[in-house]
PDB file of all heavy atoms in Angstrom:
ATOM      1  N   LYS M 177      -7.388  12.956  -4.677  1.00  0.00           N
ATOM      2  CA  LYS M 177      -7.915  12.256  -5.859  1.00  0.00           C
ATOM      3  C   LYS M 177      -6.917  11.167  -6.227  1.00  0.00           C
ATOM      4  O   LYS M 177      -5.709  11.396  -6.212  1.00  0.00           O
ATOM      5  CB  LYS M 177      -8.075  13.233  -7.033  1.00  0.00           C
ATOM      6  CG  LYS M 177      -8.611  12.625  -8.298  1.00  0.00           C
ATOM      7  CD  LYS M 177      -8.742  13.700  -9.372  1.00  0.00           C
ATOM      8  CE  LYS M 177      -9.270  13.127 -10.662  1.00  0.00           C
ATOM      9  NZ  LYS M 177      -9.337  14.172 -11.703  1.00  0.00           N
ATOM     10  N   GLY M 178      -7.429   9.982  -6.541  1.00  0.00           N
ATOM     11  CA  GLY M 178      -6.564   8.870  -6.931  1.00  0.00           C
ATOM     12  C   GLY M 178      -6.189   7.951  -5.793  1.00  0.00           C
ATOM     13  O   GLY M 178      -5.489   6.957  -5.998  1.00  0.00           O
ATOM     14  N   LYS M 179      -6.661   8.257  -4.575  1.00  0.00           N
ATOM     15  CA  LYS M 179      -6.321   7.431  -3.416  1.00  0.00           C
ATOM     16  C   LYS M 179      -6.722   5.974  -3.606  1.00  0.00           C
ATOM     17  O   LYS M 179      -5.987   5.075  -3.208  1.00  0.00           O
ATOM     18  CB  LYS M 179      -7.018   7.965  -2.158  1.00  0.00           C
ATOM     19  CG  LYS M 179      -6.420   9.208  -1.598  1.00  0.00           C
ATOM     20  CD  LYS M 179      -7.284   9.809  -0.502  1.00  0.00           C
ATOM     21  CE  LYS M 179      -7.279   8.950   0.730  1.00  0.00           C
ATOM     22  NZ  LYS M 179      -7.856   9.645   1.898  1.00  0.00           N
ATOM     23  N   ASP M 180      -7.875   5.752  -4.223  1.00  0.00           N
ATOM     24  CA  ASP M 180      -8.370   4.389  -4.381  1.00  0.00           C
ATOM     25  C   ASP M 180      -7.425   3.537  -5.231  1.00  0.00           C
ATOM     26  O   ASP M 180      -7.167   2.379  -4.905  1.00  0.00           O
ATOM     27  CB  ASP M 180      -9.787   4.389  -4.960  1.00  0.00           C
ATOM     28  CG  ASP M 180      -9.909   5.171  -6.268  1.00  0.00           C
ATOM     29  OD1 ASP M 180      -9.067   6.056  -6.538  1.00  0.00           O
ATOM     30  OD2 ASP M 180     -10.859   4.893  -7.020  1.00  0.00           O
ATOM     31  N   VAL M 181      -6.869   4.112  -6.275  1.00  0.00           N
ATOM     32  CA  VAL M 181      -5.951   3.351  -7.133  1.00  0.00           C
ATOM     33  C   VAL M 181      -4.622   3.124  -6.412  1.00  0.00           C
ATOM     34  O   VAL M 181      -4.068   2.018  -6.456  1.00  0.00           O
ATOM     35  CB  VAL M 181      -5.725   4.054  -8.491  1.00  0.00           C
ATOM     36  CG1 VAL M 181      -4.792   3.230  -9.377  1.00  0.00           C
ATOM     37  CG2 VAL M 181      -7.042   4.311  -9.193  1.00  0.00           C
ATOM     38  N   ILE M 182      -4.128   4.145  -5.737  1.00  0.00           N
ATOM     39  CA  ILE M 182      -2.878   4.004  -4.971  1.00  0.00           C
ATOM     40  C   ILE M 182      -3.043   2.920  -3.906  1.00  0.00           C
ATOM     41  O   ILE M 182      -2.172   2.067  -3.722  1.00  0.00           O
ATOM     42  CB  ILE M 182      -2.461   5.347  -4.340  1.00  0.00           C
ATOM     43  CG1 ILE M 182      -2.131   6.384  -5.412  1.00  0.00           C
ATOM     44  CG2 ILE M 182      -1.304   5.156  -3.358  1.00  0.00           C
ATOM     45  CD1 ILE M 182      -0.878   6.110  -6.205  1.00  0.00           C
ATOM     46  N   GLU M 183      -4.150   2.938  -3.185  1.00  0.00           N
ATOM     47  CA  GLU M 183      -4.398   1.927  -2.156  1.00  0.00           C
ATOM     48  C   GLU M 183      -4.505   0.527  -2.769  1.00  0.00           C
ATOM     49  O   GLU M 183      -4.004  -0.442  -2.199  1.00  0.00           O
ATOM     50  CB  GLU M 183      -5.666   2.263  -1.372  1.00  0.00           C
ATOM     51  CG  GLU M 183      -5.476   3.450  -0.454  1.00  0.00           C
ATOM     52  CD  GLU M 183      -6.776   3.966   0.159  1.00  0.00           C
ATOM     53  OE1 GLU M 183      -7.882   3.579  -0.314  1.00  0.00           O
ATOM     54  OE2 GLU M 183      -6.690   4.759   1.098  1.00  0.00           O
ATOM     55  N   LEU M 184      -5.138   0.419  -3.931  1.00  0.00           N
ATOM     56  CA  LEU M 184      -5.238  -0.862  -4.626  1.00  0.00           C
ATOM     57  C   LEU M 184      -3.848  -1.414  -4.957  1.00  0.00           C
ATOM     58  O   LEU M 184      -3.550  -2.584  -4.693  1.00  0.00           O
ATOM     59  CB  LEU M 184      -6.065  -0.716  -5.906  1.00  0.00           C
ATOM     60  CG  LEU M 184      -6.111  -1.941  -6.821  1.00  0.00           C
ATOM     61  CD1 LEU M 184      -6.882  -3.083  -6.171  1.00  0.00           C
ATOM     62  CD2 LEU M 184      -6.720  -1.578  -8.166  1.00  0.00           C
ATOM     63  N   ILE M 185      -2.990  -0.561  -5.509  1.00  0.00           N
ATOM     64  CA  ILE M 185      -1.620  -0.991  -5.848  1.00  0.00           C
ATOM     65  C   ILE M 185      -0.883  -1.415  -4.582  1.00  0.00           C
ATOM     66  O   ILE M 185      -0.244  -2.471  -4.541  1.00  0.00           O
ATOM     67  CB  ILE M 185      -0.862   0.123  -6.594  1.00  0.00           C
ATOM     68  CG1 ILE M 185      -1.524   0.411  -7.947  1.00  0.00           C
ATOM     69  CG2 ILE M 185       0.612  -0.262  -6.766  1.00  0.00           C
ATOM     70  CD1 ILE M 185      -1.016   1.664  -8.635  1.00  0.00           C
ATOM     71  N   HIS M 186      -0.950  -0.610  -3.548  1.00  0.00           N
ATOM     72  CA  HIS M 186      -0.307  -0.922  -2.260  1.00  0.00           C
ATOM     73  C   HIS M 186      -0.769  -2.300  -1.758  1.00  0.00           C
ATOM     74  O   HIS M 186       0.050  -3.145  -1.402  1.00  0.00           O
ATOM     75  CB  HIS M 186      -0.651   0.171  -1.239  1.00  0.00           C
ATOM     76  CG  HIS M 186      -0.316  -0.180   0.171  1.00  0.00           C
ATOM     77  ND1 HIS M 186       0.935   0.017   0.708  1.00  0.00           N
ATOM     78  CD2 HIS M 186      -1.078  -0.704   1.165  1.00  0.00           C
ATOM     79  CE1 HIS M 186       0.933  -0.388   1.966  1.00  0.00           C
ATOM     80  NE2 HIS M 186      -0.276  -0.824   2.265  1.00  0.00           N
ATOM     81  N   ASN M 187      -2.077  -2.509  -1.749  1.00  0.00           N
ATOM     82  CA  ASN M 187      -2.625  -3.773  -1.241  1.00  0.00           C
ATOM     83  C   ASN M 187      -2.208  -4.961  -2.100  1.00  0.00           C
ATOM     84  O   ASN M 187      -1.910  -6.036  -1.572  1.00  0.00           O
ATOM     85  CB  ASN M 187      -4.147  -3.685  -1.140  1.00  0.00           C
ATOM     86  CG  ASN M 187      -4.589  -2.708  -0.059  1.00  0.00           C
ATOM     87  OD1 ASN M 187      -3.843  -2.402   0.867  1.00  0.00           O
ATOM     88  ND2 ASN M 187      -5.799  -2.205  -0.196  1.00  0.00           N
ATOM     89  N   LYS M 188      -2.168  -4.779  -3.410  1.00  0.00           N
ATOM     90  CA  LYS M 188      -1.741  -5.869  -4.297  1.00  0.00           C
ATOM     91  C   LYS M 188      -0.279  -6.233  -4.048  1.00  0.00           C
ATOM     92  O   LYS M 188       0.078  -7.410  -4.029  1.00  0.00           O
ATOM     93  CB  LYS M 188      -1.949  -5.476  -5.762  1.00  0.00           C
ATOM     94  CG  LYS M 188      -3.403  -5.459  -6.188  1.00  0.00           C
ATOM     95  CD  LYS M 188      -3.548  -4.985  -7.617  1.00  0.00           C
ATOM     96  CE  LYS M 188      -3.584  -6.168  -8.537  1.00  0.00           C
ATOM     97  NZ  LYS M 188      -3.912  -5.816  -9.929  1.00  0.00           N
ATOM     98  N   LEU M 189       0.551  -5.234  -3.869  1.00  0.00           N
ATOM     99  CA  LEU M 189       1.971  -5.494  -3.625  1.00  0.00           C
ATOM    100  C   LEU M 189       2.181  -6.226  -2.297  1.00  0.00           C
ATOM    101  O   LEU M 189       2.947  -7.181  -2.217  1.00  0.00           O
ATOM    102  CB  LEU M 189       2.770  -4.200  -3.669  1.00  0.00           C
ATOM    103  CG  LEU M 189       2.909  -3.559  -5.051  1.00  0.00           C
ATOM    104  CD1 LEU M 189       3.458  -2.152  -4.952  1.00  0.00           C
ATOM    105  CD2 LEU M 189       3.788  -4.424  -5.961  1.00  0.00           C
ATOM    106  N   TYR M 190       1.480  -5.792  -1.255  1.00  0.00           N
ATOM    107  CA  TYR M 190       1.632  -6.442   0.047  1.00  0.00           C
ATOM    108  C   TYR M 190       0.987  -7.827   0.075  1.00  0.00           C
ATOM    109  O   TYR M 190       1.391  -8.672   0.871  1.00  0.00           O
ATOM    110  CB  TYR M 190       1.080  -5.567   1.168  1.00  0.00           C
ATOM    111  CG  TYR M 190       2.118  -4.615   1.716  1.00  0.00           C
ATOM    112  CD1 TYR M 190       2.048  -3.265   1.454  1.00  0.00           C
ATOM    113  CD2 TYR M 190       3.182  -5.083   2.480  1.00  0.00           C
ATOM    114  CE1 TYR M 190       3.007  -2.391   1.951  1.00  0.00           C
ATOM    115  CE2 TYR M 190       4.147  -4.219   2.972  1.00  0.00           C
ATOM    116  CZ  TYR M 190       4.054  -2.879   2.709  1.00  0.00           C
ATOM    117  OH  TYR M 190       5.003  -2.022   3.194  1.00  0.00           O
ATOM    118  N   ALA M 191       0.001  -8.067  -0.774  1.00  0.00           N
ATOM    119  CA  ALA M 191      -0.638  -9.384  -0.806  1.00  0.00           C
ATOM    120  C   ALA M 191       0.271 -10.420  -1.436  1.00  0.00           C
ATOM    121  O   ALA M 191       0.078 -11.619  -1.232  1.00  0.00           O
ATOM    122  CB  ALA M 191      -1.963  -9.304  -1.571  1.00  0.00           C
ATOM    123  N   GLN M 192       1.258  -9.977  -2.196  1.00  0.00           N
ATOM    124  CA  GLN M 192       2.150 -10.919  -2.871  1.00  0.00           C
ATOM    125  C   GLN M 192       3.515 -10.960  -2.181  1.00  0.00           C
ATOM    126  O   GLN M 192       3.613 -11.313  -1.019  1.00  0.00           O
ATOM    127  CB  GLN M 192       2.276 -10.535  -4.344  1.00  0.00           C
ATOM    128  CG  GLN M 192       0.986 -10.803  -5.089  1.00  0.00           C
ATOM    129  CD  GLN M 192       1.180 -10.756  -6.589  1.00  0.00           C
ATOM    130  OE1 GLN M 192       2.288 -10.853  -7.104  1.00  0.00           O
ATOM    131  NE2 GLN M 192       0.084 -10.608  -7.306  1.00  0.00           N
ATOM    132  N   LYS M 193       4.529 -10.535  -2.844  1.00  0.00           N
ATOM    133  CA  LYS M 193       5.911 -10.697  -2.410  1.00  0.00           C
ATOM    134  C   LYS M 193       6.264  -9.966  -1.113  1.00  0.00           C
ATOM    135  O   LYS M 193       7.165 -10.363  -0.396  1.00  0.00           O
ATOM    136  CB  LYS M 193       6.827 -10.213  -3.546  1.00  0.00           C
ATOM    137  CG  LYS M 193       8.271 -10.559  -3.370  1.00  0.00           C
ATOM    138  CD  LYS M 193       8.513 -12.021  -3.643  1.00  0.00           C
ATOM    139  CE  LYS M 193       9.972 -12.344  -3.645  1.00  0.00           C
ATOM    140  NZ  LYS M 193      10.228 -13.756  -3.811  1.00  0.00           N
ATOM    141  N   PHE M 194       5.537  -8.901  -0.791  1.00  0.00           N
ATOM    142  CA  PHE M 194       5.950  -8.046   0.326  1.00  0.00           C
ATOM    143  C   PHE M 194       5.160  -8.271   1.608  1.00  0.00           C
ATOM    144  O   PHE M 194       5.299  -7.521   2.565  1.00  0.00           O
ATOM    145  CB  PHE M 194       5.865  -6.578  -0.092  1.00  0.00           C
ATOM    146  CG  PHE M 194       6.643  -6.303  -1.340  1.00  0.00           C
ATOM    147  CD1 PHE M 194       5.999  -6.019  -2.526  1.00  0.00           C
ATOM    148  CD2 PHE M 194       8.030  -6.358  -1.339  1.00  0.00           C
ATOM    149  CE1 PHE M 194       6.713  -5.789  -3.685  1.00  0.00           C
ATOM    150  CE2 PHE M 194       8.758  -6.140  -2.489  1.00  0.00           C
ATOM    151  CZ  PHE M 194       8.099  -5.854  -3.668  1.00  0.00           C
ATOM    152  N   LYS M 195       4.364  -9.319   1.658  1.00  0.00           N
ATOM    153  CA  LYS M 195       3.538  -9.584   2.843  1.00  0.00           C
ATOM    154  C   LYS M 195       4.386  -9.674   4.114  1.00  0.00           C
ATOM    155  O   LYS M 195       3.982  -9.186   5.176  1.00  0.00           O
ATOM    156  CB  LYS M 195       2.749 -10.872   2.638  1.00  0.00           C
ATOM    157  CG  LYS M 195       1.712 -11.105   3.691  1.00  0.00           C
ATOM    158  CD  LYS M 195       0.831 -12.284   3.340  1.00  0.00           C
ATOM    159  CE  LYS M 195      -0.325 -12.328   4.309  1.00  0.00           C
ATOM    160  NZ  LYS M 195      -1.429 -13.104   3.819  1.00  0.00           N
ATOM    161  N   ALA M 196       5.544 -10.270   4.031  1.00  0.00           N
ATOM    162  CA  ALA M 196       6.412 -10.428   5.208  1.00  0.00           C
ATOM    163  C   ALA M 196       6.919  -9.084   5.743  1.00  0.00           C
ATOM    164  O   ALA M 196       7.361  -9.004   6.889  1.00  0.00           O
ATOM    165  CB  ALA M 196       7.604 -11.318   4.856  1.00  0.00           C
ATOM    166  N   PHE M 197       6.842  -8.028   4.928  1.00  0.00           N
ATOM    167  CA  PHE M 197       7.354  -6.722   5.332  1.00  0.00           C
ATOM    168  C   PHE M 197       6.249  -5.773   5.802  1.00  0.00           C
ATOM    169  O   PHE M 197       6.507  -4.604   6.069  1.00  0.00           O
ATOM    170  CB  PHE M 197       8.121  -6.076   4.176  1.00  0.00           C
ATOM    171  CG  PHE M 197       9.229  -6.954   3.662  1.00  0.00           C
ATOM    172  CD1 PHE M 197       9.133  -7.544   2.413  1.00  0.00           C
ATOM    173  CD2 PHE M 197      10.348  -7.216   4.424  1.00  0.00           C
ATOM    174  CE1 PHE M 197      10.136  -8.365   1.931  1.00  0.00           C
ATOM    175  CE2 PHE M 197      11.362  -8.035   3.956  1.00  0.00           C
ATOM    176  CZ  PHE M 197      11.251  -8.621   2.711  1.00  0.00           C
ATOM    177  N   ASP M 198       5.022  -6.282   5.896  1.00  0.00           N
ATOM    178  CA  ASP M 198       3.897  -5.461   6.334  1.00  0.00           C
ATOM    179  C   ASP M 198       4.096  -5.109   7.810  1.00  0.00           C
ATOM    180  O   ASP M 198       4.162  -5.993   8.666  1.00  0.00           O
ATOM    181  CB  ASP M 198       2.583  -6.213   6.128  1.00  0.00           C
ATOM    182  CG  ASP M 198       1.369  -5.343   6.376  1.00  0.00           C
ATOM    183  OD1 ASP M 198       1.504  -4.250   6.967  1.00  0.00           O
ATOM    184  OD2 ASP M 198       0.271  -5.768   5.976  1.00  0.00           O
ATOM    185  N   LEU M 199       4.184  -3.823   8.100  1.00  0.00           N
ATOM    186  CA  LEU M 199       4.423  -3.355   9.459  1.00  0.00           C
ATOM    187  C   LEU M 199       3.132  -3.166  10.250  1.00  0.00           C
ATOM    188  O   LEU M 199       3.169  -2.769  11.407  1.00  0.00           O
ATOM    189  CB  LEU M 199       5.196  -2.027   9.424  1.00  0.00           C
ATOM    190  CG  LEU M 199       6.534  -2.064   8.694  1.00  0.00           C
ATOM    191  CD1 LEU M 199       7.135  -0.673   8.592  1.00  0.00           C
ATOM    192  CD2 LEU M 199       7.486  -3.016   9.395  1.00  0.00           C
ATOM    193  N   GLY M 200       2.001  -3.424   9.605  1.00  0.00           N
ATOM    194  CA  GLY M 200       0.728  -3.265  10.291  1.00  0.00           C
ATOM    195  C   GLY M 200       0.310  -1.822  10.486  1.00  0.00           C
ATOM    196  O   GLY M 200      -0.566  -1.531  11.287  1.00  0.00           O
ATOM    197  N   VAL M 201       0.920  -0.918   9.747  1.00  0.00           N
ATOM    198  CA  VAL M 201       0.604   0.507   9.833  1.00  0.00           C
ATOM    199  C   VAL M 201      -0.508   0.812   8.839  1.00  0.00           C
ATOM    200  O   VAL M 201      -0.459   0.347   7.691  1.00  0.00           O
ATOM    201  CB  VAL M 201       1.854   1.363   9.499  1.00  0.00           C
ATOM    202  CG1 VAL M 201       1.529   2.840   9.496  1.00  0.00           C
ATOM    203  CG2 VAL M 201       2.977   1.054  10.475  1.00  0.00           C
ATOM    204  N   GLN M 202      -1.520   1.583   9.267  1.00  0.00           N
ATOM    205  CA  GLN M 202      -2.585   1.958   8.337  1.00  0.00           C
ATOM    206  C   GLN M 202      -1.979   2.780   7.204  1.00  0.00           C
ATOM    207  O   GLN M 202      -1.257   3.746   7.441  1.00  0.00           O
ATOM    208  CB  GLN M 202      -3.663   2.773   9.034  1.00  0.00           C
ATOM    209  CG  GLN M 202      -4.774   3.180   8.088  1.00  0.00           C
ATOM    210  CD  GLN M 202      -5.832   4.039   8.756  1.00  0.00           C
ATOM    211  OE1 GLN M 202      -5.804   4.262   9.957  1.00  0.00           O
ATOM    212  NE2 GLN M 202      -6.761   4.523   7.965  1.00  0.00           N
ATOM    213  N   TYR M 203      -2.277   2.387   5.976  1.00  0.00           N
ATOM    214  CA  TYR M 203      -1.715   3.056   4.811  1.00  0.00           C
ATOM    215  C   TYR M 203      -2.595   4.225   4.388  1.00  0.00           C
ATOM    216  O   TYR M 203      -3.794   4.056   4.171  1.00  0.00           O
ATOM    217  CB  TYR M 203      -1.563   2.063   3.649  1.00  0.00           C
ATOM    218  CG  TYR M 203      -0.979   2.684   2.420  1.00  0.00           C
ATOM    219  CD1 TYR M 203       0.357   3.071   2.389  1.00  0.00           C
ATOM    220  CD2 TYR M 203      -1.753   2.909   1.293  1.00  0.00           C
ATOM    221  CE1 TYR M 203       0.906   3.652   1.258  1.00  0.00           C
ATOM    222  CE2 TYR M 203      -1.213   3.491   0.154  1.00  0.00           C
ATOM    223  CZ  TYR M 203       0.122   3.857   0.149  1.00  0.00           C
ATOM    224  OH  TYR M 203       0.664   4.446  -0.956  1.00  0.00           O
ATOM    225  N   VAL M 204      -1.980   5.397   4.278  1.00  0.00           N
ATOM    226  CA  VAL M 204      -2.665   6.605   3.823  1.00  0.00           C
ATOM    227  C   VAL M 204      -1.812   7.227   2.720  1.00  0.00           C
ATOM    228  O   VAL M 204      -0.703   7.705   2.991  1.00  0.00           O
ATOM    229  CB  VAL M 204      -2.839   7.620   4.978  1.00  0.00           C
ATOM    230  CG1 VAL M 204      -3.515   8.883   4.485  1.00  0.00           C
ATOM    231  CG2 VAL M 204      -3.614   7.000   6.137  1.00  0.00           C
ATOM    232  N   PRO M 205      -2.284   7.203   1.471  1.00  0.00           N
ATOM    233  CA  PRO M 205      -1.504   7.791   0.380  1.00  0.00           C
ATOM    234  C   PRO M 205      -1.260   9.283   0.608  1.00  0.00           C
ATOM    235  O   PRO M 205      -2.176  10.022   0.973  1.00  0.00           O
ATOM    236  CB  PRO M 205      -2.396   7.573  -0.850  1.00  0.00           C
ATOM    237  CG  PRO M 205      -3.277   6.425  -0.484  1.00  0.00           C
ATOM    238  CD  PRO M 205      -3.518   6.581   0.990  1.00  0.00           C
ATOM    239  N   HIS M 206      -0.004   9.717   0.388  1.00  0.00           N
ATOM    240  CA  HIS M 206       0.398  11.105   0.647  1.00  0.00           C
ATOM    241  C   HIS M 206       1.791  11.314   0.075  1.00  0.00           C
ATOM    242  O   HIS M 206       2.442  10.360  -0.349  1.00  0.00           O
ATOM    243  CB  HIS M 206       0.437  11.375   2.154  1.00  0.00           C
ATOM    244  CG  HIS M 206       1.498  10.557   2.832  1.00  0.00           C
ATOM    245  ND1 HIS M 206       1.291   9.251   3.214  1.00  0.00           N
ATOM    246  CD2 HIS M 206       2.796  10.821   3.124  1.00  0.00           C
ATOM    247  CE1 HIS M 206       2.408   8.767   3.742  1.00  0.00           C
ATOM    248  NE2 HIS M 206       3.344   9.700   3.686  1.00  0.00           N
ATOM    249  N   ILE M 207       2.244  12.547   0.113  1.00  0.00           N
ATOM    250  CA  ILE M 207       3.654  12.863  -0.117  1.00  0.00           C
ATOM    251  C   ILE M 207       4.180  13.451   1.181  1.00  0.00           C
ATOM    252  O   ILE M 207       3.606  14.400   1.723  1.00  0.00           O
ATOM    253  CB  ILE M 207       3.843  13.855  -1.285  1.00  0.00           C
ATOM    254  CG1 ILE M 207       3.468  13.188  -2.611  1.00  0.00           C
ATOM    255  CG2 ILE M 207       5.289  14.372  -1.324  1.00  0.00           C
ATOM    256  CD1 ILE M 207       3.628  14.073  -3.837  1.00  0.00           C
ATOM    257  N   THR M 208       5.242  12.881   1.690  1.00  0.00           N
ATOM    258  CA  THR M 208       5.846  13.408   2.908  1.00  0.00           C
ATOM    259  C   THR M 208       6.608  14.672   2.565  1.00  0.00           C
ATOM    260  O   THR M 208       7.447  14.669   1.666  1.00  0.00           O
ATOM    261  CB  THR M 208       6.801  12.378   3.545  1.00  0.00           C
ATOM    262  OG1 THR M 208       6.064  11.189   3.836  1.00  0.00           O
ATOM    263  CG2 THR M 208       7.440  12.922   4.818  1.00  0.00           C
TER     264      THR M 208
END
């Protein structure tokens, strides 16, 4: 539950300042 909001935040962050650090790995919200 909440994956959609976590993914939204992740995508917003990578769309701005962190785009250069995108490793091209599929993002799956979780706790390691």
Side-chain angles (χ1 to χ4, degrees):
K177 180 179 180 182
K179 285 171 70 167
D180 54 337
V181 181
I182 296 291
E183 288 170 346
L184 173 68
I185 296 169
H186 167 85
N187 292 338
K188 287 177 94 172
L189 290 168
Y190 272 108
Q192 290 194 18
K193 191 75 173 176
F194 306 110
K195 190 172 189 161
F197 304 110
D198 188 345
L199 303 174
V201 176
Q202 180 182 355
Y203 180 70
V204 178
H206 65 277
I207 292 180
T208 301

